[in-house]
Amino acid sequence: MFERISPEGFPVPIVVPGNSDAIAQNLDKADKFHGESEYSAAALHARMALELSLKKVSDRQGVPVPFKINERHLSLDALLSCFTKWNTDADIKAEIKKLELARSVVLNPFSHSMPVTLGKTDVKSAIDAVRSFHSKLQALEYYRKSRS
């Protein structure tokens, strides 16, 4: 959102149309940051996209996840684990395997104090794995209310 001044001199918000898919927006930002060699920001947006994807599908499909009053205390690892146990689709299982390979990047070691040696290829692989997972969930209509 940006601001402009009306002819009367009042500030007026300008809403810039964008992609209404927050998951895709985060993946696009991850690609943008990756292209600028900002790997920590790229990994962060890949993680956010995966977290949003798992929360959305868990909500829409009734995936059992542990209840937390403060949802920030529900970890990405717990969401992925619950979804993995719930899922029976072979195509989604293949996508989860890709996510497992990229787990060290998607779980964002850049946000921790330990030194990180991840590079361009690792981060790009993680972004691609999350994008592929998101696309497969869309194609199989997992984001719709109850597929049954």
Coordinates of all heavy atoms in Angstrom, one line a residue, residues 63-130:
V63 N -6.6 -31.8 8.8 CA -5.4 -32.5 9.2 C -5.2 -32.3 10.7 O -5.2 -31.1 11.2 CB -4.1 -32.0 8.5 CG1 -2.9 -32.7 9.0 CG2 -4.3 -32.2 7.0
P64 N -5.2 -33.4 11.5 CA -5.0 -33.2 13.0 C -3.6 -32.6 13.3 O -2.6 -33.3 13.0 CB -5.2 -34.6 13.5 CG -5.0 -35.5 12.4 CD -5.2 -34.8 11.1
V65 N -3.6 -31.5 13.9 CA -2.4 -30.9 14.4 C -2.5 -30.5 15.9 O -3.6 -30.3 16.3 CB -2.0 -29.6 13.6 CG1 -1.7 -29.9 12.1 CG2 -3.1 -28.5 13.7
P66 N -1.4 -30.5 16.6 CA -1.5 -30.1 18.0 C -2.1 -28.7 18.2 O -1.7 -27.8 17.5 CB -0.1 -30.2 18.5 CG 0.7 -30.8 17.5 CD -0.1 -30.7 16.2
F67 N -3.0 -28.6 19.2 CA -3.6 -27.3 19.5 C -2.6 -26.4 20.2 O -2.0 -26.9 21.2 CB -4.9 -27.4 20.3 CG -5.4 -26.1 20.7 CD1 -6.1 -25.3 19.8 CD2 -5.2 -25.7 22.0 CE1 -6.6 -24.1 20.2 CE2 -5.7 -24.4 22.4 CZ -6.4 -23.6 21.5
K68 N -2.4 -25.2 19.8 CA -1.6 -24.2 20.6 C -2.4 -22.9 20.6 O -2.9 -22.5 19.6 CB -0.3 -24.0 19.8 CG 0.6 -25.2 19.7 CD 1.2 -25.6 21.0 CE 2.2 -26.7 20.8 NZ 2.7 -27.2 22.0
I69 N -2.6 -22.4 21.8 CA -3.3 -21.1 21.9 C -2.6 -20.1 21.1 O -3.2 -19.3 20.3 CB -3.4 -20.7 23.4 CG1 -4.4 -21.6 24.1 CG2 -3.8 -19.2 23.5 CD1 -4.6 -21.3 25.6
N70 N -1.3 -20.0 21.2 CA -0.5 -19.1 20.4 C 0.0 -19.9 19.2 O 0.9 -20.7 19.3 CB 0.7 -18.5 21.2 CG 1.4 -17.5 20.4 OD1 1.4 -17.4 19.2 ND2 2.2 -16.7 21.1
E71 N -0.5 -19.7 18.0 CA -0.2 -20.5 16.8 C 1.3 -20.4 16.5 O 1.8 -21.2 15.8 CB -1.0 -20.2 15.6 CG -0.8 -18.9 15.0 CD -1.5 -18.7 13.7 OE1 -2.8 -18.9 13.7 OE2 -0.9 -18.3 12.7
R72 N 2.0 -19.4 16.9 CA 3.4 -19.2 16.7 C 4.2 -20.4 17.3 O 5.4 -20.6 17.0 CB 4.0 -17.9 17.1 CG 3.5 -16.8 16.2 CD 4.0 -15.4 16.6 NE 3.5 -15.1 17.9 CZ 3.9 -14.2 18.7 NH1 5.0 -13.5 18.4 NH2 3.4 -13.9 19.9
H73 N 3.6 -21.0 18.3 CA 4.3 -22.1 19.0 C 4.1 -23.4 18.3 O 4.6 -24.5 18.7 CB 3.8 -22.2 20.4 CG 4.3 -21.0 21.3 ND1 3.4 -20.4 22.1 CD2 5.5 -20.4 21.3 CE1 4.1 -19.3 22.6 NE2 5.3 -19.3 22.2
L74 N 3.4 -23.4 17.2 CA 3.2 -24.6 16.4 C 4.3 -24.6 15.3 O 4.3 -23.8 14.4 CB 1.8 -24.7 15.7 CG 1.6 -25.9 14.8 CD1 1.7 -27.2 15.6 CD2 0.2 -25.8 14.3
S75 N 5.3 -25.5 15.4 CA 6.5 -25.4 14.6 C 6.2 -25.9 13.2 O 5.3 -26.8 13.0 CB 7.6 -26.2 15.2 OG 7.4 -27.6 15.1
L76 N 7.0 -25.5 12.2 CA 6.9 -26.0 10.9 C 7.2 -27.5 10.8 O 6.5 -28.2 10.1 CB 7.9 -25.2 10.0 CG 8.0 -25.7 8.5 CD1 6.6 -25.6 7.8 CD2 9.0 -24.9 7.8
D77 N 8.1 -27.9 11.6 CA 8.4 -29.3 11.7 C 7.2 -30.1 12.2 O 6.9 -31.2 11.6 CB 9.6 -29.5 12.7 CG 10.2 -30.9 12.5 OD1 10.3 -31.4 11.3 OD2 10.7 -31.5 13.5
A78 N 6.5 -29.6 13.2 CA 5.3 -30.3 13.6 C 4.2 -30.4 12.6 O 3.5 -31.4 12.4 CB 4.8 -29.7 14.9
L79 N 4.0 -29.2 11.9 CA 3.0 -29.2 10.8 C 3.3 -30.2 9.7 O 2.4 -30.9 9.3 CB 3.0 -27.8 10.2 CG 2.2 -26.7 10.9 CD1 2.5 -25.4 10.3 CD2 0.7 -27.0 10.8
L80 N 4.6 -30.2 9.3 CA 5.0 -31.1 8.2 C 4.8 -32.6 8.7 O 4.4 -33.4 7.9 CB 6.4 -30.9 7.8 CG 6.9 -31.7 6.6 CD1 6.0 -31.5 5.4 CD2 8.4 -31.2 6.3
S81 N 5.2 -32.9 9.9 CA 5.1 -34.2 10.5 C 3.6 -34.7 10.5 O 3.3 -35.8 10.1 CB 5.7 -34.3 11.8 OG 5.5 -35.6 12.4
C82 N 2.7 -33.8 11.0 CA 1.3 -34.1 11.0 C 0.7 -34.4 9.6 O 0.0 -35.3 9.4 CB 0.5 -33.0 11.8 SG 0.9 -32.9 13.5
F83 N 1.1 -33.5 8.7 CA 0.6 -33.6 7.4 C 1.1 -34.9 6.7 O 0.4 -35.6 6.1 CB 1.0 -32.4 6.5 CG 0.5 -32.5 5.1 CD1 -0.8 -32.3 4.8 CD2 1.4 -32.9 4.1 CE1 -1.3 -32.4 3.5 CE2 0.9 -33.1 2.8 CZ -0.4 -32.8 2.5
T84 N 2.4 -35.2 6.9 CA 3.0 -36.5 6.4 C 2.2 -37.7 6.9 O 1.9 -38.6 6.1 CB 4.5 -36.5 6.7 OG1 5.1 -35.4 6.2 CG2 5.1 -37.8 6.2
K85 N 1.9 -37.7 8.2 CA 1.2 -38.9 8.8 C -0.2 -39.0 8.2 O -0.8 -40.0 8.0 CB 1.1 -38.7 10.3 CG 2.5 -39.0 11.0 CD 2.4 -38.7 12.5 CE 3.8 -38.8 13.1 NZ 3.8 -38.2 14.4
W86 N -0.9 -37.8 8.0 CA -2.2 -37.8 7.5 C -2.4 -38.2 6.0 O -3.3 -38.8 5.6 CB -2.8 -36.4 7.7 CG -4.2 -36.1 7.1 CD1 -5.4 -36.4 7.7 CD2 -4.4 -35.5 5.9 NE1 -6.4 -36.0 6.9 CE2 -5.8 -35.5 5.7 CE3 -3.7 -35.0 4.8 CZ2 -6.5 -35.0 4.6 CZ3 -4.3 -34.5 3.7 CH2 -5.7 -34.5 3.6
N87 N -1.4 -37.7 5.2 CA -1.5 -37.9 3.8 C -1.4 -39.4 3.3 O -0.6 -40.1 3.8 CB -0.3 -37.1 3.1 CG -0.3 -37.3 1.6 OD1 -1.2 -37.0 0.9 ND2 0.8 -37.9 1.2
T88 N -2.2 -39.7 2.3 CA -2.1 -41.1 1.8 C -1.9 -41.0 0.3 O -1.7 -42.1 -0.4 CB -3.5 -41.8 2.0 OG1 -4.5 -41.1 1.4 CG2 -3.7 -42.0 3.5
D89 N -1.8 -39.8 -0.3 CA -1.7 -39.7 -1.8 C -0.2 -39.9 -2.2 O 0.7 -39.2 -1.6 CB -2.1 -38.3 -2.2 CG -2.1 -38.1 -3.7 OD1 -1.0 -37.9 -4.3 OD2 -3.2 -38.3 -4.3
A90 N 0.0 -40.8 -3.1 CA 1.4 -41.1 -3.6 C 2.1 -39.9 -4.2 O 3.3 -39.7 -4.0 CB 1.4 -42.3 -4.5
D91 N 1.4 -39.1 -5.0 CA 2.0 -37.9 -5.6 C 2.5 -36.9 -4.5 O 3.6 -36.3 -4.6 CB 1.0 -37.2 -6.5 CG 0.8 -38.0 -7.8 OD1 1.6 -38.9 -8.2 OD2 -0.3 -37.8 -8.4
I92 N 1.7 -36.8 -3.5 CA 2.0 -35.8 -2.4 C 3.2 -36.4 -1.6 O 4.1 -35.7 -1.2 CB 0.8 -35.5 -1.5 CG1 -0.3 -34.8 -2.3 CG2 1.2 -34.7 -0.3 CD1 0.1 -33.5 -2.8
K93 N 3.2 -37.7 -1.4 CA 4.3 -38.4 -0.7 C 5.6 -38.1 -1.5 O 6.7 -37.8 -0.8 CB 4.1 -39.9 -0.6 CG 3.1 -40.2 0.5 CD 2.9 -41.7 0.6 CE 1.8 -42.0 1.6 NZ 1.6 -43.4 1.9
A94 N 5.6 -38.1 -2.8 CA 6.8 -37.8 -3.6 C 7.2 -36.3 -3.4 O 8.4 -36.0 -3.3 CB 6.6 -38.1 -5.1
E95 N 6.3 -35.4 -3.3 CA 6.6 -34.0 -3.0 C 7.2 -33.9 -1.6 O 8.1 -33.1 -1.4 CB 5.3 -33.2 -3.2 CG 4.8 -33.1 -4.5 CD 5.7 -32.6 -5.6 OE1 6.5 -31.6 -5.3 OE2 5.7 -33.1 -6.7
I96 N 6.7 -34.6 -0.6 CA 7.2 -34.5 0.7 C 8.6 -35.0 0.8 O 9.5 -34.4 1.5 CB 6.3 -35.3 1.7 CG1 4.9 -34.6 1.9 CG2 7.0 -35.5 3.1 CD1 3.9 -35.4 2.6
K97 N 9.0 -36.0 0.0 CA 10.4 -36.5 -0.1 C 11.3 -35.4 -0.6 O 12.4 -35.2 -0.1 CB 10.5 -37.7 -1.0 CG 10.0 -39.0 -0.3 CD 10.4 -40.2 -1.1 CE 9.8 -41.4 -0.6 NZ 10.3 -41.8 0.8
K98 N 10.8 -34.6 -1.6 CA 11.6 -33.4 -2.1 C 11.8 -32.4 -1.0 O 12.9 -31.8 -0.8 CB 10.9 -32.8 -3.3 CG 10.9 -33.6 -4.5 CD 10.1 -32.8 -5.6 CE 9.6 -33.6 -6.7 NZ 8.8 -32.9 -7.7
L99 N 10.7 -32.2 -0.2 CA 10.8 -31.2 0.9 C 11.8 -31.7 2.0 O 12.5 -30.9 2.5 CB 9.4 -31.0 1.6 CG 8.4 -30.2 0.8 CD1 7.1 -30.2 1.5 CD2 8.9 -28.8 0.5
E100 N 11.8 -33.0 2.2 CA 12.7 -33.6 3.2 C 14.2 -33.3 2.8 O 15.0 -33.0 3.6 CB 12.5 -35.1 3.4 CG 11.2 -35.4 4.1 CD 11.1 -34.9 5.5 OE1 12.2 -34.8 6.2 OE2 10.0 -34.6 6.0
L101 N 14.4 -33.4 1.5 CA 15.8 -33.2 1.0 C 16.2 -31.7 1.2 O 17.4 -31.4 1.4 CB 15.9 -33.6 -0.5 CG 15.8 -35.0 -0.8 CD1 15.7 -35.3 -2.3 CD2 16.9 -35.8 -0.2
A102 N 15.2 -30.8 1.1 CA 15.5 -29.4 1.2 C 15.2 -28.9 2.7 O 15.3 -27.7 2.9 CB 14.6 -28.6 0.3
R103 N 15.0 -29.8 3.6 CA 14.6 -29.5 4.9 C 15.6 -28.5 5.6 O 15.2 -27.6 6.3 CB 14.4 -30.8 5.8 CG 14.0 -30.6 7.2 CD 14.0 -31.9 7.9 NE 12.9 -31.8 8.9 CZ 11.7 -32.4 8.7 NH1 11.5 -33.1 7.7 NH2 10.8 -32.2 9.6
S104 N 16.8 -28.8 5.4 CA 17.8 -27.9 6.1 C 17.7 -26.5 5.7 O 18.1 -25.6 6.5 CB 19.2 -28.5 5.9 OG 19.6 -28.4 4.5
V105 N 17.3 -26.2 4.5 CA 17.1 -24.9 4.0 C 15.8 -24.3 4.4 O 15.7 -23.2 4.9 CB 17.3 -24.8 2.5 CG1 17.1 -23.4 2.0 CG2 18.7 -25.3 2.1
V106 N 14.7 -25.1 4.2 CA 13.4 -24.6 4.4 C 13.2 -24.4 5.9 O 12.4 -23.4 6.3 CB 12.3 -25.7 3.9 CG1 10.9 -25.3 4.3 CG2 12.4 -25.7 2.4
L107 N 13.8 -25.1 6.8 CA 13.7 -24.9 8.2 C 14.5 -23.7 8.7 O 14.7 -23.4 9.8 CB 14.0 -26.2 9.0 CG 12.9 -27.2 8.8 CD1 13.3 -28.5 9.6 CD2 11.5 -26.8 9.2
N108 N 15.2 -23.1 7.7 CA 15.8 -21.8 7.9 C 16.9 -21.7 8.9 O 16.8 -21.0 9.9 CB 14.8 -20.7 8.1 CG 15.4 -19.3 7.8 OD1 16.5 -19.2 7.2 ND2 14.7 -18.3 8.1
P109 N 18.0 -22.4 8.7 CA 19.1 -22.2 9.6 C 19.7 -20.8 9.6 O 20.4 -20.4 10.5 CB 20.2 -23.2 9.1 CG 19.8 -23.4 7.7 CD 18.3 -23.2 7.6
F110 N 19.4 -20.0 8.6 CA 19.9 -18.6 8.6 C 19.3 -17.8 9.8 O 19.9 -16.8 10.2 CB 19.4 -17.9 7.3 CG 20.1 -18.4 6.1 CD1 19.5 -19.2 5.2 CD2 21.4 -18.0 5.8 CE1 20.2 -19.6 4.0 CE2 22.1 -18.5 4.7 CZ 21.5 -19.3 3.8
S111 N 18.2 -18.2 10.4 CA 17.7 -17.5 11.5 C 18.3 -17.9 12.8 O 17.9 -17.4 13.9 CB 16.2 -17.6 11.5 OG 15.8 -18.9 11.8
H112 N 19.2 -18.9 12.8 CA 19.8 -19.3 14.1 C 21.2 -18.8 14.1 O 21.8 -18.4 13.2 CB 19.8 -20.9 14.1 CG 18.4 -21.4 14.0 ND1 17.4 -21.2 15.0 CD2 17.7 -22.0 13.0 CE1 16.3 -21.7 14.6 NE2 16.4 -22.2 13.4
S113 N 21.8 -19.0 15.3 CA 23.2 -18.4 15.5 C 24.3 -19.2 15.0 O 25.4 -18.8 14.9 CB 23.4 -18.1 17.0 OG 23.3 -19.4 17.7
M114 N 24.1 -20.5 14.6 CA 25.1 -21.3 14.1 C 25.6 -20.8 12.7 O 24.7 -20.3 11.9 CB 24.7 -22.8 14.0 CG 24.4 -23.3 15.4 SD 23.6 -24.9 15.4 CE 24.1 -25.7 14.0
P115 N 26.8 -21.0 12.3 CA 27.3 -20.6 11.0 C 26.5 -21.4 9.9 O 26.3 -22.6 10.1 CB 28.8 -20.9 11.0 CG 29.1 -21.3 12.4 CD 27.9 -21.5 13.1
V116 N 26.3 -20.8 8.8 CA 25.5 -21.5 7.7 C 26.4 -21.5 6.5 O 27.0 -20.6 6.1 CB 24.2 -20.7 7.4 CG1 23.5 -21.3 6.2 CG2 23.4 -20.6 8.6
T117 N 26.4 -22.7 5.9 CA 27.2 -22.9 4.7 C 26.4 -23.2 3.4 O 26.9 -23.7 2.5 CB 28.2 -24.0 4.9 OG1 27.5 -25.2 5.1 CG2 29.2 -23.7 6.0
L118 N 25.1 -22.9 3.5 CA 24.2 -23.1 2.4 C 24.5 -22.1 1.3 O 24.8 -21.0 1.5 CB 22.8 -23.0 2.8 CG 22.3 -24.0 3.9 CD1 20.9 -23.7 4.3 CD2 22.4 -25.4 3.3
G119 N 24.4 -22.6 0.1 CA 24.7 -21.7 -1.1 C 23.5 -21.6 -2.0 O 22.4 -22.1 -1.8
K120 N 23.8 -21.1 -3.2 CA 22.8 -20.8 -4.2 C 22.0 -22.0 -4.6 O 20.8 -21.9 -4.7 CB 23.6 -20.2 -5.4 CG 22.8 -19.9 -6.6 CD 23.7 -19.3 -7.7 CE 22.9 -18.8 -8.9 NZ 23.7 -18.2 -9.9
T121 N 22.7 -23.1 -4.9 CA 22.0 -24.3 -5.3 C 21.1 -24.9 -4.2 O 19.9 -25.3 -4.5 CB 23.0 -25.4 -5.8 OG1 23.9 -24.8 -6.7 CG2 22.3 -26.6 -6.3
D122 N 21.5 -24.9 -3.0 CA 20.7 -25.4 -1.9 C 19.4 -24.6 -1.7 O 18.3 -25.2 -1.6 CB 21.5 -25.4 -0.6 CG 22.7 -26.3 -0.6 OD1 22.6 -27.4 -1.2 OD2 23.7 -25.9 0.0
V123 N 19.6 -23.3 -1.7 CA 18.4 -22.5 -1.5 C 17.4 -22.6 -2.7 O 16.2 -22.7 -2.5 CB 18.8 -21.0 -1.3 CG1 17.6 -20.1 -1.2 CG2 19.7 -20.9 -0.1
K124 N 18.0 -22.6 -3.9 CA 17.1 -22.8 -5.1 C 16.4 -24.1 -5.1 O 15.2 -24.2 -5.4 CB 17.9 -22.6 -6.4 CG 17.1 -22.7 -7.7 CD 16.1 -21.5 -7.7 CE 15.4 -21.5 -9.1 NZ 14.1 -20.9 -9.0
S125 N 17.0 -25.1 -4.7 CA 16.4 -26.5 -4.6 C 15.2 -26.4 -3.6 O 14.2 -27.0 -3.8 CB 17.4 -27.5 -4.2 OG 18.4 -27.7 -5.2
A126 N 15.4 -25.7 -2.5 CA 14.4 -25.6 -1.5 C 13.2 -24.8 -2.0 O 12.0 -25.2 -1.8 CB 14.9 -24.9 -0.2
I127 N 13.5 -23.7 -2.7 CA 12.4 -22.9 -3.3 C 11.6 -23.8 -4.3 O 10.4 -23.8 -4.3 CB 12.9 -21.6 -4.0 CG1 13.6 -20.7 -2.9 CG2 11.8 -20.9 -4.8 CD1 14.4 -19.6 -3.5
D128 N 12.3 -24.5 -5.1 CA 11.7 -25.3 -6.1 C 10.8 -26.4 -5.5 O 9.8 -26.8 -6.0 CB 12.7 -25.9 -7.1 CG 13.4 -24.9 -8.0 OD1 12.8 -23.7 -8.1 OD2 14.4 -25.2 -8.6
A129 N 11.3 -27.0 -4.4 CA 10.6 -28.1 -3.7 C 9.3 -27.5 -3.1 O 8.2 -28.2 -3.2 CB 11.5 -28.7 -2.6
V130 N 9.4 -26.4 -2.5 CA 8.1 -25.8 -1.9 C 7.2 -25.4 -3.0 O 6.0 -25.7 -2.9 CB 8.5 -24.6 -1.0 CG1 7.2 -23.9 -0.5 CG2 9.4 -25.0 0.1

